[in-house]
Amino acid sequence: MNLSFNPTAQDDVNLLHATHLIQDSTEVASFLKNSGFEILELAEVSDAGNTHCYRISLNGGYISFKKRNNSKILEFVDSALTGFGLGTKDIESTQGRLTLHGFHPLSIEERKLLFQVAKEERREIAYKVFKLKKSDVLEGDVEFIDVSNSTKSSALSVHKNALSHFHAIILHTNKPEETIARYCWLTNQSSPRRIFGSSWKVELDQQTIIVCSEEDVERIVPSVNVSNLPSILGYALLTESLSKTKDCFSHNELALQSLNRGSFLVKLPEFISGNLIIGTSAADFPWNGGFN
């Protein structure tokens, strides 16, 4: 598959984060700390209201665990891996490009993150974001975030479990060609690669979007219980020490499943939901095997 458009450096898009919606923030925080993560507690402020968040930073990327403070607003029934974010250095151009190609981006909104740095120091970060209509992205909530004022950290991971980078998002669909074409337009990439029989991947700088077909799911995320299609199946993280990560996760009584290219699979508990694949480099992940 080769899509006929010309990506430009001004509209470079990268994978930034995954988002879980949760019900019991105390239970989630305890689990993350016991698994060796350093977590940041913050409030996300927008026109829609305040959202309580935990965030795991991963050298330029992150994972969010969100709970709506207003209990009258019921956004979900169970905890779930519900969305992910894409970073852009020119959010207005990205919004315009997507509108031009038939997508329906919502208005750009201002958000603030409020969090405590030290006992007497509170920090505020303002940024711009827009979401896509659910009719444009069936797998979950996708948002574009302005990263023009941010810089990626080159520091080593601060997590006790040695996890360091957010590497890939894994989407599950019964229409893989239609789905990968959509994400090529969303990310401004023209040359996806087929993996296995009917799945695809698109590479974004150092990150990857995997589009996993029904036929190939056992080869990419084996023994997984898929309850709905399309959906976000999970994501992949890089570690600086496989043994250190395994030790931390085993200490938290997580079941780990070794995969055939040196990575391993973790099924996250129901109060978080989703699947996590961990490796030391991009070559470790199962989708870097069966290319056609």
Side-chain angles (χ1 to χ4, degrees), residues 257-269:
Q257 180 179 349
S258 295
L259 303 179
N260 60 4
R261 295 186 64 81
S263 55
F264 67 91
L265 171 68
V266 182
K267 183 179 180 182
L268 295 170

Side-chain angles (χ1 to χ4, degrees), residues 140-151:
D141 294 327
V142 176
E143 61 184 14
F144 285 80
I145 298 169
D146 188 345
V147 294
S148 58
N149 294 322
S150 68
T151 55

Side-chain angles (χ1 to χ4, degrees), residues 64-286:
S64 285
F65 303 85
K66 296 186 176 183
K67 181 178 180 181
R68 178 72 66 175
N69 287 347
N70 186 346
S71 61
K72 294 180 181 178
I73 302 175
L74 185 62
E75 291 193 336
F76 58 97
V77 177
D78 298 312
S79 297
L81 173 57
T82 57
F84 61 96
L86 298 167
T88 173
K89 292 183 178 179
D90 191 339
I91 197 165
E92 286 83 6
S93 291
T94 301
Q95 185 194 47
R97 174 177 60 82
L98 295 180
T99 301
L100 183 65
H101 291 299
F103 292 95
H104 303 89
L106 302 178
S107 300
I108 295 173
E109 64 171 295
E110 299 273 354
R111 285 188 191 166
K112 291 180 182 178
L113 293 178
L114 306 176
F115 56 97
Q116 204 80 22
V117 180
K119 214 170 188 181
E120 299 175 357
E121 183 184 353
R122 197 178 188 198
R123 186 169 295 176
E124 178 180 303
I125 297 175
Y127 62 101
K128 295 179 181 178
V129 60
F130 72 81
K131 288 189 174 184
L132 292 172
K133 282 190 175 180
K134 293 187 184 295
S135 56
D136 284 337
V137 281
L138 307 177
E139 297 76 26
D141 294 327
V142 176
E143 61 184 14
F144 285 80
I145 298 169
D146 188 345
V147 294
S148 58
N149 294 322
S150 68
T151 55
K152 281 193 175 183
S153 170
S154 59
L156 295 177
S157 169
V158 297
H159 303 296
K160 294 176 184 176
N161 57 29
L163 287 167
S164 60
H165 289 79
F166 184 69
H167 179 70
I169 198 81
I170 307 165
L171 309 177
H172 191 212
T173 179
N174 55 355
K175 297 179 179 178
E177 295 220 351
E178 178 184 311
T179 303
I180 194 63
R182 185 188 330 128
Y183 280 95
C184 283
W185 285 110
L186 291 178
T187 58
N188 210 23
Q189 297 292 322
S190 59
S191 300
R193 295 189 67 180
R194 185 189 293 272
I195 51 177
F196 304 120
S198 55
S199 298
W200 295 85
K201 79 170 187 174
V202 60
E203 295 181 339
L204 310 171
D205 191 17
Q206 298 178 29
Q207 307 95 22
T208 304
I209 294 177
I210 303 298
V211 172
C212 172
S213 69
E214 286 183 282
E215 293 78 10
D216 295 331
V217 67
E218 276 294 315
R219 302 181 72 176
I220 294 177
V221 187
S223 307
V224 68
N225 181 21
V226 179
S227 57
N228 60 308
L229 278 172
S231 63
I232 304 171
L233 202 53
Y235 47 90
L237 303 181
L238 294 175
T239 179
E240 293 160 2
S241 170
L242 214 57
S243 60
K244 197 176 282 189
T245 305
K246 286 182 175 179
D247 285 348
C248 284
F249 280 19
S250 297
H251 176 72
N252 208 17
E253 299 183 352
L254 281 170
L256 313 179
Q257 180 179 349
S258 295
L259 303 179
N260 60 4
R261 295 186 64 81
S263 55
F264 67 91
L265 171 68
V266 182
K267 183 179 180 182
L268 295 170
E270 290 185 2
F271 56 83
I272 291 178
S273 184
N275 301 282
L276 179 56
I277 298 180
I278 296 169
T280 56
S281 71
D284 291 349
F285 296 117

